[in-house]
Amino acid sequence: MVVCLEEEVLPYIPQASEGLLKGNDIRSIQEYIPLIVQIIAKFKKEVIPFLQQVFMPIVNAIFSALSLPVEENDEQGKREKQLLQRNYFQFIAAVVTNNISEVLNAQESRFLEQVMISIIRGAVDFPDPVAQKTCFSILRKLVDLWGGKEQPHGFTQFIYKNIVPACFMAPLKSTFDLSDAQTSLALAESAMCLKTILQKHGDEFVNYLHAEYLPTLQISPHLIDEYCQALKAENKVFKNYVKVFFQQAKT
């Protein structure tokens, strides 16, 4: 629907957003997020001023709706919550993949950190491989955008403290089924996230993995050497290797 509309629709979006975000109704927010994602994809830079203002209200409305309790036997309620969680990650993905990171840069650092941690948790703790793939895609894009010299304060520390562990903790979980097709896509995305960190930080990153992080996983020195070598290989080779690596690490 949005693809058929032109710039004349933009002045009406703030008012429509305000109405939809007033309550904590999961279904209303579910319907709203895909609309905003389409608007971002259609208008990109033109919606930056609007999104800078409504980004955290949208996030807070989603968090509030997700915090509402669901009865143990309410399968429909659980499905709606899962869908809203996916929609949230798709919203953040739309912001970073359409190159309007100015929206994130405009947020207070404490709020931005809250969002970043929610993406880490989505990648690791949310047992939904579709959502996990989206989260790793977001993290990879953020590393690509902010992993160099131009970055928010503390982002390099965030890479080493949060993003790198997420790429290992998620595949090591018992709920991460390495034989599942969707899970394999999430694993491949996490591998590409690490490759992007390698592009930005080079040998410093490899040395960190070899000497500091990988030994904490209680894996053999031989496997650590093998992993660091594979990391430097072509993307396809590394993606194939990580599956074998985690199969071995989980045995």
Side-chain angles (χ1 to χ4, degrees):
M1 180 185 73
V2 173
V3 293
C4 302
L5 300 175
E6 298 301 330
E7 294 176 24
E8 289 78 9
V9 75
L10 294 177
Y12 300 99
I13 295 171
Q15 186 177 356
S17 299
E18 185 180 348
L20 286 165
L21 294 174
K22 274 184 179 177
N24 291 337
D25 179 57
I26 287 182
R27 195 162 295 175
S28 295
I29 300 173
Q30 275 179 357
E31 293 171 356
Y32 170 73
I33 298 302
L35 174 66
I36 285 294
V37 168
Q38 289 181 59
I39 288 169
I40 292 170
K42 168 77 174 178
F43 297 107
K44 295 182 173 63
K45 299 287 185 182
E46 295 164 84
V47 294
I48 288 175
F50 160 70
L51 281 174
Q52 286 175 330
Q53 292 183 352
V54 303
F55 179 80
M56 281 313 299
I58 291 173
V59 168
N60 288 331
I62 294 171
F63 285 175
S64 182
L66 288 172
S67 71
L68 296 175
V70 177
E71 296 291 335
E72 186 63 32
N73 60 351
D74 184 1
E75 295 302 322
Q76 178 64 24
K78 289 178 182 178
R79 282 193 295 271
E80 287 184 351
K81 215 167 191 179
Q82 183 187 50
L83 182 58
L84 180 58
Q85 188 85 61
R86 284 186 182 182
N87 284 344
Y88 166 64
F89 296 135
Q90 287 165 0
F91 167 60
I92 305 298
V95 171
V96 299
T97 58
N98 283 284
N99 296 318
I100 53 172
S101 60
E102 297 96 325
V103 173
L104 300 180
N105 292 333
Q107 309 308 312
E108 287 185 38
S109 58
R110 62 193 176 102
F111 294 141
L112 182 57
E113 184 178 5
Q114 181 185 9
V115 171
M116 301 282 287
I117 292 298
S118 74
I119 303 303
I120 294 292
R121 288 175 178 161
V124 177
D125 298 326
F126 196 52
D128 175 358
V130 174
Q132 287 177 296
K133 179 180 180 293
T134 303
C135 289
F136 281 119
S137 177
I138 293 167
L139 295 172
R140 178 162 69 100
K141 183 63 176 178
L142 288 175
V143 171
D144 189 43
L145 288 170
W146 293 342
K149 294 180 180 178
E150 297 294 326
Q151 58 171 279
H153 176 71
F155 187 70
T156 296
Q157 183 182 7
F158 185 84
I159 289 175
Y160 286 111
K161 184 180 176 183
N162 295 283
I163 298 180
V164 172
C167 293
F168 290 90
M169 291 298 100
L172 286 171
K173 278 188 171 284
S174 60
T175 53
F176 201 90
D177 183 3
L178 293 169
S179 64
D180 175 71
Q182 289 292 340
T183 304
S184 293
L185 293 176
L187 178 64
E189 196 62 42
S190 73
M192 290 302 94
C193 187
L194 291 169
K195 289 288 283 187
T196 305
I197 297 172
L198 176 65
Q199 290 171 8
K200 297 293 182 179
H201 291 272
D203 287 340
E204 172 196 287
F205 174 49
V206 178
N207 294 337
Y208 169 77
L209 287 177
H210 193 277
E212 296 186 45
Y213 183 72
L214 289 176
T216 68
L217 300 182
Q218 307 301 315
I219 55 179
S220 70
H222 169 71
L223 202 54
I224 290 174
D225 289 342
E226 193 177 84
Y227 184 93
C228 290
Q229 282 299 117
L231 178 63
K232 297 177 182 179
E234 293 179 0
N235 289 353
K236 186 177 180 180
V237 173
F238 182 59
K239 282 194 286 187
N240 289 334
Y241 172 78
V242 290
K243 190 167 188 176
V244 177
F245 171 84
F246 284 110
Q247 285 170 338
Q248 291 178 319
K250 291 172 85 167
T251 56

